[in-house]
Amino acid sequence: LLGWAFDGYENISMFNNVAENVLKNSYATGNITDCYNRCGGLVGHTEFLELSDSYATGKVENINETNSTSAEAGGLIGRQYGGTTTNCYATGAVSGNRNNIGGLIGTLIGGKLSDSHATGAVTSEKANLGGLIGYETQSEVTNVYAEGKVSGTTQDAVRVGGLVGQPDGTYTKVYAKGDVSGANEIGGIFGGNNGGSLTTCAAFGNVNALDDTGIAVGGIGGRCGNRINITNCSAYGDVKGQSAVGAA
């Protein structure tokens, strides 16, 4: 196999750590278990990788027993730094007990994602949880979707989105179909946002706070930062929370 791992439990995937390479027409069907950081169904950690026409179908389970809050687990990629991911998908369920868990990519930093999707359920006890991406910053995301149910299971599960948990990049032509639940900052597309833009989007799932104390719950987004621009977006599901609740 290609790449290297820091130790036996980190960067676990078919390809462990891939930098400045091209990877295409690749797939993985096995499950990823007992992984505590940068866990991906196909690739654990990428840096400036050009990934295309690839997929993963196995489940990914992140079990982080350390004091670290970060996990970075995704159905296809655990952590993508720079680079491009095009025409890729993941179908397996992704679960974890730490931050940054996504149906396709756990963490996306300064990269590009297009023409891709995830269909598996996503579950976590902690923050930044999304049907497609857990945490994203300074990236471009185009023509993507997520269909899986997204479930934050404890009061620490904040910033939970049907598509992305915490974004601040640019999103164009995106949708999410799964129901979404969590503690606070819960949305049909994104959970908590600090900027960026969202253009031509749709959310179809119901959005529910775990209990009557849920704050910042919306059909499109839970918490919107003061620098975000949202255009031509629609929400169709029911929304339930305690305060700062809106259909959009």
Side-chain angles (χ1 to χ4, degrees), residues 66-93:
T66 71
N67 291 325
S68 171
T69 58
S70 179
E72 303 180 323
L76 189 77
I77 302 171
R79 185 179 196 261
Q80 176 182 337
Y81 183 88
T84 61
T85 298
T86 306
N87 195 30
C88 293
Y89 67 88
T91 61

Side-chain angles (χ1 to χ4, degrees), residues 162-204:
L163 190 81
V164 52
Q166 183 174 359
D168 70 8
T170 61
Y171 289 73
T172 307
K173 296 181 180 179
V174 303
Y175 72 85
K177 293 182 69 175
D179 292 342
V180 184
S181 61
N184 299 309
E185 299 183 32
I186 317 154
I189 295 290
F190 66 86
N193 186 292
N194 291 320
S197 64
L198 182 59
T199 305
T200 310
C201 74
F204 297 94

Side-chain angles (χ1 to χ4, degrees), residues 2-13 15-18 37-38 45:
L2 176 67
W4 56 278
F6 290 115
D7 57 42
Y9 299 96
E10 190 169 26
N11 294 322
I12 294 180
S13 64
F15 300 97
N16 294 319
N17 193 306
V18 186
N37 196 18
R38 298 174 186 171
H45 178 197

Side-chain angles (χ1 to χ4, degrees), residues 16-238:
N16 294 319
N17 193 306
V18 186
E20 298 184 11
N21 286 293
V22 175
L23 181 63
K24 62 182 180 179
N25 298 322
S26 300
Y27 67 92
T29 59
N31 298 324
I32 303 298
T33 59
D34 298 326
C35 173
Y36 75 71
N37 196 18
R38 298 174 186 171
C39 318
L42 184 70
V43 185
H45 178 197
T46 75
E47 293 186 6
F48 306 105
L49 174 70
E50 295 181 20
L51 175 65
S52 63
D53 304 305
S54 299
Y55 66 90
T57 60
K59 67 180 180 181
V60 178
E61 295 181 350
N62 157 253
I63 303 298
N64 189 333
E65 297 179 352
T66 71
N67 291 325
S68 171
T69 58
S70 179
E72 303 180 323
L76 189 77
I77 302 171
R79 185 179 196 261
Q80 176 182 337
Y81 183 88
T84 61
T85 298
T86 306
N87 195 30
C88 293
Y89 67 88
T91 61
V94 184
S95 61
N97 63 354
R98 286 295 185 268
N99 297 346
N100 303 356
I101 310 294
L104 191 76
I105 301 174
T107 295
L108 174 60
I109 301 173
K112 294 182 179 181
L113 172 65
S114 63
D115 303 309
S116 299
H117 66 272
T119 59
V122 181
T123 306
S124 181
E125 301 175 9
K126 298 293 183 178
N128 303 337
L129 175 65
L132 193 76
I133 306 167
Y135 172 85
E136 174 276 318
T137 185
Q138 299 179 351
S139 302
E140 297 179 18
V141 180
T142 307
N143 197 30
V144 300
Y145 65 90
E147 293 189 341
K149 181 179 181 180
V150 183
S151 304
T153 59
T154 73
Q155 290 302 317
D156 293 327
V158 299
R159 297 183 296 277
V160 182
L163 190 81
V164 52
Q166 183 174 359
D168 70 8
T170 61
Y171 289 73
T172 307
K173 296 181 180 179
V174 303
Y175 72 85
K177 293 182 69 175
D179 292 342
V180 184
S181 61
N184 299 309
E185 299 183 32
I186 317 154
I189 295 290
F190 66 86
N193 186 292
N194 291 320
S197 64
L198 182 59
T199 305
T200 310
C201 74
F204 297 94
N206 298 322
V207 182
N208 295 292
L210 289 177
D211 55 34
D212 292 337
T213 64
I215 299 173
V217 186
I220 295 292
R223 177 184 58 80
C224 296
N226 58 12
R227 296 172 294 162
I228 186 173
N229 184 17
I230 300 176
T231 306
N232 192 30
C233 289
S234 303
Y236 299 94
D238 296 332

